[in-house]
Amino acid sequence: SAASLPPPPTRKTGTNIKTVKDKRSQAKGGTGVPRNTGGKGYSRKETTYGLWAALPLQPGSSERVTKRYDIVPGKIYGFEQVFGTLDVLVNIRMTVLAMKEGGLLVYAPIAATPQCVDMVRKLEEKHGEVKHIILPTTAVEHKVFFGPFAKKFKNADLWVAPGQWSFPLNLPLSALGLFPRKASVLPVDPNKCDAPWKDEFDYRVLKFSLGLAPFVEAAFFHKPTKSLLVTDSVVFAPSEPPKIVQEDPRALLFRSKDNIKDPSPDNMATRRKGWGKTVLFSQFLQPEKVRASLVKDYPALLAWDEGWEASWARVKDRLFVSPVVQVLVFSQAPKTVSSWVEEVCQWPFNKIIPAHFSAPIRAGPREFRRAFQVALTGARGEESVEQAAINKEVKENILDSLFTKLAGYEIGLPSREMKGDFSLLRSFEKTIRATGVVKGPAE
């Protein structure tokens, strides 16, 4: 059962923290964009990603360190790098699984730096070569790494979620870094898939139209370890900043400032403060307590008002559907999403491994289903909640208390208490629906 696992991990770091100095950046009031230092045992050259310009987001150069750790010792490994924009840097995770018959399966590959590839090669020495590489989504932040990573492992079979597309030209996958190889498209109906890994893995595809393009995510179930692999559908935001994000803490220190004049000494309190604001930015785009300050707080351009900590307290150490995905995507097809959730919940998983934030998350079908129930209830705004009968509200409060007690952590974001944080997303959602930019399927 889910309760048999330890609580969701919080990453601890030592108390002796060396300050990262950049006199040039300090003199100009620099933005704190990290420059990776190569990572333990690796040179800067080995952490360089030559194809950074394909998606030129931060870290603001071609350098990115990779960290590897055990998720299930000897069976599942996590590989993490940093990824983001505007100094809002979070971790992005590739999951590598050792197969029973030998060899490795890679789920959601990341940047194939020499360091990252070398780390995978070391696993190949132990488990056998990479046999399968899975692209489980159409999201660009995952898709952009697929072709370059596949080229490093030329004997691997390639598998992609259906509905792949590109903009402004809708090019075939072979033109996006795979040529001359081809990738097999995962059938939406898993019963029609004859992949050689089907005895060990199962999958379910969530796919629906958003008008201009589809949203697609393929959740995988690893039967031997009872692990659910997802990309962006659910996350667990840890109160401690991930180790990979602390590899170069300047973005955390800069983001910790309430205004540009705020001191930001390099200690764990400052890093935690920066991480809390980073998570809020990444999930809400514009949290309630942030305001524009283009001149006074240049180059930050933003200032934080008192009270942001209350929002962070409602997000940290909690399992939830990302608000960006919840409001802008899942609200367009709630019945389709709910059906997919029920299919996923037929698997007896006891841990979730997403592509961002904490992993593994101690959670089973009960917790996964509840996270979506909360998200889909509040996806379109507060009206449906406010119009509900009092007895339903009481029932929901009792359910939340029960799930918290059973899981050991809270599930879902309290949309009414965080109405201000959701405001920009909901306003944007109404605009794109009204203009027809986004149009979900008729349900």
Short mmCIF file of all heavy atoms in Angstrom, two decimals, residues 255-298:
data_model
loop_
_atom_site.label_atom_id
_atom_site.label_comp_id
_atom_site.label_asym_id
_atom_site.label_seq_id
_atom_site.Cartn_x
_atom_site.Cartn_y
_atom_site.Cartn_z
N ARG A 255 16.04 35.59 -6.33
CA ARG A 255 14.59 35.48 -6.24
C ARG A 255 14.10 35.68 -4.81
O ARG A 255 12.93 35.99 -4.58
CB ARG A 255 14.16 34.10 -6.77
CG ARG A 255 12.68 33.89 -6.92
CD ARG A 255 12.01 34.98 -7.70
NE ARG A 255 12.55 35.14 -9.05
CZ ARG A 255 12.42 36.24 -9.76
NH1 ARG A 255 11.78 37.29 -9.26
NH2 ARG A 255 12.92 36.32 -10.98
N SER A 256 14.97 35.53 -3.82
CA SER A 256 14.55 35.69 -2.42
C SER A 256 14.23 37.13 -2.07
O SER A 256 13.53 37.40 -1.09
CB SER A 256 15.64 35.16 -1.49
OG SER A 256 16.77 36.03 -1.48
N LYS A 257 14.73 38.07 -2.83
CA LYS A 257 14.58 39.48 -2.49
C LYS A 257 13.13 39.94 -2.57
O LYS A 257 12.43 39.64 -3.54
CB LYS A 257 15.43 40.34 -3.45
CG LYS A 257 16.94 40.16 -3.35
CD LYS A 257 17.63 40.91 -4.47
CE LYS A 257 19.14 40.85 -4.35
NZ LYS A 257 19.65 41.72 -3.27
N ASP A 258 12.69 40.70 -1.55
CA ASP A 258 11.38 41.34 -1.63
C ASP A 258 11.44 42.56 -2.53
O ASP A 258 10.46 42.93 -3.17
CB ASP A 258 10.89 41.74 -0.24
CG ASP A 258 10.54 40.53 0.62
OD1 ASP A 258 10.20 39.48 0.04
OD2 ASP A 258 10.62 40.64 1.86
N ASN A 259 12.58 43.23 -2.55
CA ASN A 259 12.85 44.33 -3.46
C ASN A 259 14.33 44.32 -3.78
O ASN A 259 15.10 43.58 -3.17
CB ASN A 259 12.41 45.68 -2.87
CG ASN A 259 13.10 45.96 -1.54
OD1 ASN A 259 14.31 46.23 -1.50
ND2 ASN A 259 12.34 45.90 -0.44
N ILE A 260 14.75 45.12 -4.73
CA ILE A 260 16.11 45.03 -5.24
C ILE A 260 17.15 45.39 -4.19
O ILE A 260 18.32 44.98 -4.29
CB ILE A 260 16.27 45.91 -6.50
CG1 ILE A 260 17.51 45.48 -7.30
CG2 ILE A 260 16.31 47.38 -6.12
CD1 ILE A 260 17.45 44.07 -7.81
N LYS A 261 16.76 46.14 -3.17
CA LYS A 261 17.71 46.55 -2.14
C LYS A 261 17.84 45.54 -1.02
O LYS A 261 18.70 45.68 -0.15
CB LYS A 261 17.30 47.92 -1.57
CG LYS A 261 17.37 49.05 -2.58
CD LYS A 261 16.98 50.38 -1.95
CE LYS A 261 17.06 51.51 -2.98
NZ LYS A 261 16.67 52.82 -2.37
N ASP A 262 17.01 44.54 -1.02
CA ASP A 262 17.06 43.52 0.03
C ASP A 262 18.40 42.80 0.03
O ASP A 262 18.88 42.40 -1.04
CB ASP A 262 15.95 42.49 -0.19
CG ASP A 262 14.86 42.59 0.85
OD1 ASP A 262 14.89 43.54 1.64
OD2 ASP A 262 13.97 41.72 0.85
N PRO A 263 18.99 42.59 1.19
CA PRO A 263 20.19 41.74 1.24
C PRO A 263 19.80 40.28 0.97
O PRO A 263 18.67 39.87 1.24
CB PRO A 263 20.70 41.93 2.66
CG PRO A 263 19.47 42.28 3.45
CD PRO A 263 18.61 43.09 2.52
N SER A 264 20.74 39.53 0.45
CA SER A 264 20.45 38.11 0.18
C SER A 264 21.68 37.28 0.53
O SER A 264 22.35 36.75 -0.36
CB SER A 264 20.04 37.89 -1.27
OG SER A 264 21.04 38.42 -2.14
N PRO A 265 22.00 37.18 1.83
CA PRO A 265 23.16 36.36 2.24
C PRO A 265 22.94 34.90 1.86
O PRO A 265 21.81 34.41 1.88
CB PRO A 265 23.19 36.55 3.76
CG PRO A 265 21.77 36.88 4.13
CD PRO A 265 21.25 37.69 2.99
N ASP A 266 24.02 34.23 1.52
CA ASP A 266 23.89 32.84 1.10
C ASP A 266 23.83 31.92 2.31
O ASP A 266 24.85 31.48 2.83
CB ASP A 266 25.05 32.44 0.19
CG ASP A 266 24.83 31.07 -0.46
OD1 ASP A 266 23.79 30.46 -0.19
OD2 ASP A 266 25.70 30.64 -1.23
N ASN A 267 22.61 31.65 2.75
CA ASN A 267 22.38 30.68 3.82
C ASN A 267 21.09 29.94 3.49
O ASN A 267 20.37 30.29 2.55
CB ASN A 267 22.31 31.37 5.19
CG ASN A 267 21.27 32.48 5.23
OD1 ASN A 267 20.13 32.31 4.81
ND2 ASN A 267 21.67 33.65 5.75
N MET A 268 20.80 28.91 4.26
CA MET A 268 19.64 28.08 3.92
C MET A 268 18.33 28.83 4.06
O MET A 268 17.38 28.59 3.31
CB MET A 268 19.62 26.81 4.77
CG MET A 268 20.52 25.70 4.25
SD MET A 268 20.31 25.34 2.47
CE MET A 268 18.58 24.90 2.39
N ALA A 269 18.24 29.76 4.99
CA ALA A 269 17.01 30.53 5.14
C ALA A 269 16.73 31.34 3.87
O ALA A 269 15.59 31.39 3.38
CB ALA A 269 17.11 31.45 6.35
N THR A 270 17.77 31.95 3.31
CA THR A 270 17.61 32.72 2.09
C THR A 270 17.27 31.82 0.92
O THR A 270 16.42 32.14 0.07
CB THR A 270 18.89 33.52 1.79
OG1 THR A 270 19.24 34.31 2.93
CG2 THR A 270 18.70 34.44 0.60
N ARG A 271 17.94 30.68 0.84
CA ARG A 271 17.67 29.74 -0.25
C ARG A 271 16.23 29.23 -0.19
O ARG A 271 15.55 29.09 -1.22
CB ARG A 271 18.65 28.57 -0.21
CG ARG A 271 20.08 28.96 -0.53
CD ARG A 271 20.97 27.74 -0.60
NE ARG A 271 22.36 28.11 -0.83
CZ ARG A 271 23.31 27.26 -1.23
NH1 ARG A 271 23.01 25.99 -1.43
NH2 ARG A 271 24.55 27.67 -1.41
N ARG A 272 15.77 28.91 1.02
CA ARG A 272 14.38 28.44 1.15
C ARG A 272 13.39 29.53 0.74
O ARG A 272 12.37 29.25 0.09
CB ARG A 272 14.12 28.01 2.59
CG ARG A 272 14.85 26.74 3.01
CD ARG A 272 14.40 26.28 4.38
NE ARG A 272 15.19 25.16 4.85
CZ ARG A 272 16.14 25.26 5.80
NH1 ARG A 272 16.36 26.43 6.38
NH2 ARG A 272 16.83 24.20 6.15
N LYS A 273 13.67 30.76 1.12
CA LYS A 273 12.80 31.87 0.74
C LYS A 273 12.77 32.02 -0.78
O LYS A 273 11.70 32.17 -1.39
CB LYS A 273 13.30 33.16 1.38
CG LYS A 273 12.43 34.38 1.12
CD LYS A 273 13.00 35.60 1.85
CE LYS A 273 12.12 36.84 1.58
NZ LYS A 273 12.68 38.04 2.26
N GLY A 274 13.94 31.95 -1.41
CA GLY A 274 14.00 32.04 -2.86
C GLY A 274 13.28 30.88 -3.54
O GLY A 274 12.63 31.06 -4.57
N TRP A 275 13.40 29.70 -2.95
CA TRP A 275 12.72 28.54 -3.52
C TRP A 275 11.21 28.68 -3.42
O TRP A 275 10.48 28.36 -4.38
CB TRP A 275 13.19 27.27 -2.81
CG TRP A 275 12.46 26.02 -3.22
CD1 TRP A 275 11.69 25.22 -2.44
CD2 TRP A 275 12.44 25.43 -4.53
NE1 TRP A 275 11.19 24.17 -3.17
CE2 TRP A 275 11.63 24.27 -4.46
CE3 TRP A 275 13.02 25.78 -5.75
CZ2 TRP A 275 11.39 23.46 -5.56
CZ3 TRP A 275 12.78 24.96 -6.85
CH2 TRP A 275 11.98 23.81 -6.75
N GLY A 276 10.71 29.14 -2.29
CA GLY A 276 9.27 29.33 -2.15
C GLY A 276 8.71 30.27 -3.21
O GLY A 276 7.68 29.99 -3.84
N LYS A 277 9.41 31.38 -3.44
CA LYS A 277 8.96 32.33 -4.46
C LYS A 277 9.10 31.74 -5.86
O LYS A 277 8.27 32.00 -6.74
CB LYS A 277 9.76 33.63 -4.34
CG LYS A 277 9.47 34.41 -3.06
CD LYS A 277 10.30 35.68 -3.00
CE LYS A 277 9.94 36.52 -1.79
NZ LYS A 277 10.74 37.76 -1.72
N THR A 278 10.14 30.95 -6.07
CA THR A 278 10.34 30.28 -7.35
C THR A 278 9.17 29.36 -7.68
O THR A 278 8.64 29.36 -8.79
CB THR A 278 11.66 29.49 -7.34
OG1 THR A 278 12.76 30.39 -7.26
CG2 THR A 278 11.80 28.63 -8.60
N VAL A 279 8.76 28.57 -6.70
CA VAL A 279 7.65 27.64 -6.92
C VAL A 279 6.37 28.41 -7.22
O VAL A 279 5.62 28.05 -8.14
CB VAL A 279 7.47 26.71 -5.71
CG1 VAL A 279 6.21 25.85 -5.87
CG2 VAL A 279 8.69 25.82 -5.52
N LEU A 280 6.11 29.47 -6.46
CA LEU A 280 4.89 30.25 -6.70
C LEU A 280 4.89 30.83 -8.10
O LEU A 280 3.86 30.81 -8.80
CB LEU A 280 4.77 31.36 -5.66
CG LEU A 280 4.47 30.90 -4.22
CD1 LEU A 280 4.46 32.11 -3.28
CD2 LEU A 280 3.15 30.16 -4.14
N PHE A 281 6.02 31.37 -8.54
CA PHE A 281 6.11 31.90 -9.89
C PHE A 281 5.87 30.80 -10.92
O PHE A 281 5.14 30.99 -11.90
CB PHE A 281 7.49 32.52 -10.13
CG PHE A 281 7.50 34.02 -10.07
CD1 PHE A 281 8.35 34.68 -9.21
CD2 PHE A 281 6.67 34.77 -10.88
CE1 PHE A 281 8.38 36.06 -9.14
CE2 PHE A 281 6.69 36.15 -10.83
CZ PHE A 281 7.55 36.80 -9.96
N SER A 282 6.50 29.66 -10.74
CA SER A 282 6.41 28.59 -11.73
C SER A 282 5.00 28.03 -11.83
O SER A 282 4.60 27.54 -12.89
CB SER A 282 7.39 27.46 -11.38
OG SER A 282 6.97 26.72 -10.24
N GLN A 283 4.23 28.09 -10.76
CA GLN A 283 2.90 27.51 -10.75
C GLN A 283 1.78 28.49 -11.09
O GLN A 283 0.75 28.10 -11.61
CB GLN A 283 2.62 26.87 -9.38
CG GLN A 283 3.58 25.75 -9.02
CD GLN A 283 3.57 24.65 -10.06
OE1 GLN A 283 2.57 23.99 -10.30
NE2 GLN A 283 4.71 24.45 -10.72
N PHE A 284 1.98 29.78 -10.76
CA PHE A 284 0.89 30.75 -10.96
C PHE A 284 1.24 31.85 -11.97
O PHE A 284 0.38 32.65 -12.32
CB PHE A 284 0.52 31.40 -9.62
CG PHE A 284 -0.05 30.44 -8.61
CD1 PHE A 284 0.74 29.93 -7.59
CD2 PHE A 284 -1.37 30.05 -8.69
CE1 PHE A 284 0.22 29.03 -6.66
CE2 PHE A 284 -1.91 29.16 -7.77
CZ PHE A 284 -1.10 28.65 -6.75
N LEU A 285 2.49 31.92 -12.40
CA LEU A 285 2.98 32.94 -13.34
C LEU A 285 3.03 34.32 -12.71
O LEU A 285 4.01 35.06 -12.88
CB LEU A 285 2.15 32.96 -14.62
CG LEU A 285 2.05 31.62 -15.37
CD1 LEU A 285 1.30 31.82 -16.69
CD2 LEU A 285 3.40 31.00 -15.61
N GLN A 286 1.97 34.72 -12.02
CA GLN A 286 2.00 35.97 -11.27
C GLN A 286 1.25 35.77 -9.95
O GLN A 286 0.04 35.94 -9.89
CB GLN A 286 1.38 37.14 -12.04
CG GLN A 286 1.51 38.46 -11.28
CD GLN A 286 0.91 39.63 -12.03
OE1 GLN A 286 0.72 39.57 -13.24
NE2 GLN A 286 0.61 40.71 -11.32
N PRO A 287 1.96 35.40 -8.89
CA PRO A 287 1.31 35.23 -7.59
C PRO A 287 0.67 36.53 -7.11
O PRO A 287 1.03 37.63 -7.57
CB PRO A 287 2.47 34.80 -6.67
CG PRO A 287 3.52 34.29 -7.59
CD PRO A 287 3.39 35.08 -8.85
N GLU A 288 -0.26 36.42 -6.20
CA GLU A 288 -1.03 37.58 -5.76
C GLU A 288 -0.15 38.69 -5.18
O GLU A 288 -0.42 39.88 -5.40
CB GLU A 288 -2.05 37.14 -4.71
CG GLU A 288 -2.90 38.28 -4.17
CD GLU A 288 -3.88 37.82 -3.10
OE1 GLU A 288 -3.65 36.75 -2.51
OE2 GLU A 288 -4.86 38.55 -2.86
N LYS A 289 0.88 38.34 -4.45
CA LYS A 289 1.66 39.33 -3.72
C LYS A 289 2.84 39.89 -4.52
O LYS A 289 3.75 40.49 -3.97
CB LYS A 289 2.17 38.73 -2.41
CG LYS A 289 1.05 38.31 -1.46
CD LYS A 289 0.18 39.51 -1.06
CE LYS A 289 -0.92 39.09 -0.09
NZ LYS A 289 -1.77 40.24 0.30
N VAL A 290 2.83 39.71 -5.83
CA VAL A 290 3.86 40.27 -6.69
C VAL A 290 3.28 41.45 -7.47
O VAL A 290 2.17 41.37 -7.97
CB VAL A 290 4.39 39.21 -7.67
CG1 VAL A 290 5.31 39.84 -8.71
CG2 VAL A 290 5.14 38.12 -6.93
N ARG A 291 4.05 42.53 -7.55
CA ARG A 291 3.61 43.68 -8.33
C ARG A 291 4.76 44.19 -9.19
O ARG A 291 5.94 44.00 -8.88
CB ARG A 291 3.11 44.81 -7.42
CG ARG A 291 4.11 45.23 -6.36
CD ARG A 291 3.55 46.27 -5.42
NE ARG A 291 4.42 46.45 -4.28
CZ ARG A 291 5.51 47.20 -4.27
NH1 ARG A 291 5.84 47.87 -5.36
NH2 ARG A 291 6.24 47.32 -3.18
N ALA A 292 4.40 44.81 -10.30
CA ALA A 292 5.42 45.36 -11.19
C ALA A 292 6.08 46.57 -10.55
O ALA A 292 5.43 47.40 -9.92
CB ALA A 292 4.78 45.75 -12.52
N SER A 293 7.40 46.64 -10.70
CA SER A 293 8.18 47.78 -10.20
C SER A 293 9.32 48.00 -11.18
O SER A 293 10.48 47.69 -10.90
CB SER A 293 8.69 47.51 -8.79
OG SER A 293 9.38 48.63 -8.27
N LEU A 294 8.99 48.52 -12.35
CA LEU A 294 9.91 48.52 -13.49
C LEU A 294 11.12 49.41 -13.29
O LEU A 294 12.21 49.10 -13.78
CB LEU A 294 9.16 48.95 -14.75
CG LEU A 294 7.93 48.12 -15.12
CD1 LEU A 294 7.33 48.62 -16.43
CD2 LEU A 294 8.27 46.64 -15.22
N VAL A 295 10.96 50.50 -12.57
CA VAL A 295 12.06 51.45 -12.40
C VAL A 295 12.73 51.28 -11.05
O VAL A 295 13.94 51.06 -10.95
CB VAL A 295 11.56 52.90 -12.55
CG1 VAL A 295 12.69 53.88 -12.31
CG2 VAL A 295 10.97 53.10 -13.95
N LYS A 296 11.96 51.33 -10.00
CA LYS A 296 12.51 51.29 -8.65
C LYS A 296 13.27 50.00 -8.37
O LYS A 296 14.28 50.00 -7.66
CB LYS A 296 11.38 51.46 -7.63
CG LYS A 296 11.86 51.54 -6.19
CD LYS A 296 10.68 51.77 -5.25
CE LYS A 296 11.15 51.84 -3.80
NZ LYS A 296 10.01 52.05 -2.88
N ASP A 297 12.79 48.91 -8.92
CA ASP A 297 13.40 47.61 -8.62
C ASP A 297 14.07 47.00 -9.84
O ASP A 297 14.17 45.78 -9.97
CB ASP A 297 12.35 46.65 -8.05
CG ASP A 297 11.93 47.05 -6.66
OD1 ASP A 297 12.73 46.85 -5.73
OD2 ASP A 297 10.82 47.58 -6.50
N TYR A 298 14.56 47.84 -10.76
CA TYR A 298 15.33 47.34 -11.90
C TYR A 298 16.64 46.73 -11.39
O TYR A 298 17.27 47.29 -10.49
CB TYR A 298 15.62 48.48 -12.86
CG TYR A 298 16.43 48.03 -14.06
CD1 TYR A 298 15.81 47.48 -15.17
CD2 TYR A 298 17.83 48.15 -14.06
CE1 TYR A 298 16.55 47.06 -16.26
CE2 TYR A 298 18.57 47.72 -15.14
CZ TYR A 298 17.94 47.18 -16.24
OH TYR A 298 18.68 46.75 -17.31
#
